[in-house]
Every structure is written in structure tokens, then in C-alpha cells.
Amino acid sequence: MIKVAIYGKGGIGKSTVTSSISAALGLEGHNVMQLGCDPKTDSTINLLGGTPPPPILQYLQENGKPDTLDAIVKRGFGNVACMEVGGPTPGVGCFGRGMLTAFDLLDEMGAYEAYRPDVVLYDIMADVVCGGIAVPMREGFADKVCIVTSGEKMALLAARNIITALRNFADRNYAELGGLILNCRDMDNEVERVEEFAHEMETSVIGVIPRDTAIHRFEEDGRTVVEGDRSLATSERFFDLARTIVDFGAGRNAA
């Protein structure tokens, strides 16, 4: 099992990228869990026809501990096990603490044993990398961190902050940086700009997703582009990313 946290600034397309990778992994026969770690609870909607599962934190607040995992988990396209953390009561509590609560509940209820995932993907918003947002990278939940970015200044600034936070834990055998995923905005020299940034940060660009209206067209129907038309060149980019993530696991097991 390989556990990958996918970070990036809000609005950069993390959920689109994460759910499309999950769909590709599922089509290639892998068992996948995707956990949305964003109070908006919109990480898995394009695997579920537009309707997310009940947010874990809200379920706990309203109903207490669920009797079964089925209460907080929905199977989506590609048989992906879809979960959403949700958020704490507005103005009260810490989202990082909320993530820990959700992660602990899934562990206590044996989610990993029940779904036997080959790949676990955490989809995490990180405009500001506070201690709470850094939970998956520093608590040992994730093995690798991938960062979705564009060539825009603010997206690269967020990526730099995430990498800096990650490297603060480098001596503790926590998550390692897996690389950057460029979600294009059609800027001039965008690929070159991000590749230069990757070189500066001593990492690599592991995938480039073109700006494609097909992505948004299928999302209107609550589907990923991979589900909508797996033959598209853009879909193939997600299959390539899925294989890269599987290779993370192979490399980790070999080590």
C-alpha cells in the first residue's frame, strides 16, 4: 500500500487531479481509497455523480460513531472508496485536529483492512501550511507528497511553502516529496517556468495536465474526464500519473 498526499493552493485543481488519478487507478484494477481533506467536501463528487458521501466530522457531531463504514463511505467510479473529512464548526476548533479525528476513526473501524487499498490518496488544501494542514506529512499518514501547481506566482509560492514545511520533517522519516503536477493555465512558457522551479527546489515535474474543456464538460455531469472518455490525450496523462504513483509503491517496497 502506498499513501500519497496531494497538496496545493485552493482553486488550483487538486480535486480534479486527485479524482482523475483515482479513476485511472481504478480502471487499471487497483483498489483505491480517496479521502477529501477540505471543509468544502468536494474532493470525491466527480467519482460519485456529483453527490459526496456524508462528511465524517459532521456525522460524528450529529450521530456519534457510525455502526458501519457504509455510513461514511461511498463506492465511486472504478470502485474507489470515497470519504470526506468535512470541517469543524465554523469559528470553533482546528481543521488539523479534525483530520486526526477522522483518520483515527477510520483506523479504529478497520477501514484499511476492510477496503484493502493498494493506493490511498489524500486531497488537501494548503494555501497556508499551518501545523494542522501538515498533519498527513508529519504524523506518518502519507508516504509521499505530490503538489499540484500552475505557473502562476501564487501557486508556486504555495508550492514552495509546502516543500519547505515537508523538509522540516526530513530527519523524522515522515513523508517524502514525490514531485510536482503541473495543471496548466495556458501561461506563456508555463512548462519551462515550472520545470525551472522544480530544478530550483531539487524535485521534478511528474505530470503535465493540459487545459482542456473536456475536463469541465464532464465535471458538469459529476464525472472525471477519465470516466467521460478514457481515449482522450488528457485522460492518458492521468493514466501516466496513476502509473507513477504505483511506481512510488514499488520503489518503497523494494527499499
Side-chain angles (χ1 to χ4, degrees):
M1 177 172 63
I2 183 73
K3 295 179 286 186
V4 180
I6 298 182
Y7 280 83
K9 73 179 292 293
I12 202 62
K14 293 178 313 306
S15 296
T16 294
V17 168
T18 305
S19 56
S20 298
I21 293 171
S22 288
L25 286 164
L27 284 178
E28 295 212 322
H30 299 286
N31 290 331
V32 185
M33 285 175 59
Q34 180 172 326
L35 185 58
C37 303
D38 188 323
K40 297 193 303 296
T41 67
D42 60 357
S43 174
T44 59
I45 57 175
N46 290 324
L47 294 166
L48 293 163
T51 304
I56 294 171
L57 295 182
Q58 278 78 355
Y59 188 97
L60 289 171
Q61 183 179 15
E62 296 170 7
N63 305 287
K65 180 181 175 182
D67 294 326
T68 68
L69 287 165
D70 290 340
I72 53 174
V73 181
K74 283 188 176 183
R75 288 286 193 176
F77 178 78
N79 208 33
V80 177
C82 300
M83 289 152 271
E84 297 280 353
V85 169
T89 302
V92 179
C94 167
F95 182 59
R97 177 64 62 182
M99 277 197 289
L100 277 173
T101 298
F103 295 168
D104 288 344
L105 176 68
L106 293 172
D107 191 47
E108 180 183 343
M109 295 188 70
Y112 298 102
E113 293 79 12
Y115 298 110
R116 300 177 62 85
D118 304 307
V119 180
V120 179
L121 297 178
Y122 304 103
D123 173 12
I124 307 168
M125 182 184 70
D127 290 75
V128 177
V129 192
C130 67
I133 296 300
V135 160
M137 65 172 72
R138 66 179 173 84
E139 297 289 346
F141 292 105
D143 304 306
K144 293 281 189 179
V145 168
C146 295
I147 302 170
V148 179
T149 187
S150 67
E152 297 163 311
K153 181 178 179 180
M154 297 308 294
L156 292 175
L157 177 61
R160 184 184 299 275
N161 289 338
I162 295 162
I163 293 170
T164 299
L166 181 63
R167 288 178 175 162
N168 284 336
F169 308 118
D171 61 345
R172 304 185 192 180
N173 295 318
Y174 287 166
E176 299 176 345
L177 182 59
L180 307 178
I181 300 170
L182 169 55
N183 194 27
C184 290
R185 292 289 195 261
D186 283 348
M187 299 173 59
D188 290 340
N189 303 314
E190 188 168 21
V191 173
E192 292 80 3
R193 182 191 297 244
V194 175
E195 286 180 342
E196 181 179 344
F197 172 80
H199 178 74
E200 176 192 347
M201 301 305 294
E202 299 181 338
T203 187
S204 61
V205 178
I206 62 171
V208 177
I209 307 303
R211 196 167 182 85
D212 187 345
T213 58
I215 293 175
H216 307 292
R217 185 171 72 251
F218 290 119
E219 283 186 338
E220 288 295 314
D221 298 327
R223 295 186 291 166
T224 66
V225 67
V226 171
E227 178 183 359
D229 188 346
R230 65 175 301 174
S231 69
L232 293 177
T234 297
S235 296
E236 188 55 41
R237 300 290 182 96
F238 288 114
F239 280 103
D240 289 343
L241 275 168
R243 293 168 192 134
T244 296
I245 285 173
V246 170
D247 287 345
F248 286 162
R252 179 169 168 267
N253 293 335

